[in-house]
Amino acid sequence: MLLRPGSQNVDYWFVFQGIDKIIHLSTFIVLGFSFMAAFPKTRFSNFLMIMFIYAVLTEILQDQMNLGRSMELYDLLADTAGVLLGRLLFNKTKQF
């Protein structure tokens, strides 16, 4: 979804301005949670570095693929917030 052409995202009835930030946030929540489920003993600093590099690479690909998407700082912030929320969610579910 993150690398889908931007012009295709307007075809749905539920699309509104800023929905791409919600898509980034929710995708990276799932990614952060899944990463921690697969590698639960990963140190926070390593987790954050790996996820941040992945987010930056995703933004670079969006910009370089010329599909109507661009590199945006707010997308990167949504990605980072998403992985942090995903890790927090994993830590909360691990307690039960």
Side-chain angles (χ1 to χ4, degrees):
M1 189 71 180
L2 296 175
L3 298 177
R4 188 173 180 185
S7 60
Q8 289 182 2
N9 288 339
V10 297
D11 295 340
Y12 302 107
W13 62 268
F14 56 84
V15 173
F16 55 89
Q17 185 175 357
I19 194 168
D20 64 320
K21 305 306 179 262
I22 293 173
I23 292 169
H24 277 268
L25 182 72
S26 58
T27 301
F28 277 84
I29 287 173
V30 172
L31 183 63
F33 184 90
S34 299
F35 184 92
M36 288 309 300
F39 307 103
K41 296 184 180 186
T42 303
R43 290 188 349 216
F44 179 74
S45 59
N46 291 342
F47 166 79
L48 194 58
M49 181 178 56
I50 291 167
M51 294 292 99
F52 185 75
I53 289 170
Y54 184 80
V56 169
L57 289 175
T58 302
E59 289 302 312
I60 290 171
L61 282 173
Q62 283 182 353
D63 193 52
Q64 295 299 311
M65 290 177 69
N66 296 323
L67 296 173
R69 308 285 310 248
S70 62
M71 185 184 310
E72 295 182 24
L73 176 62
Y74 290 122
D75 285 348
L76 191 57
L77 292 174
D79 298 345
T80 305
V83 296
L84 292 174
L85 287 171
R87 183 175 174 113
L88 180 66
L89 182 63
F90 175 79
N91 288 341
K92 291 295 182 185
T93 59
K94 189 172 71 170
Q95 292 174 356
F96 293 112

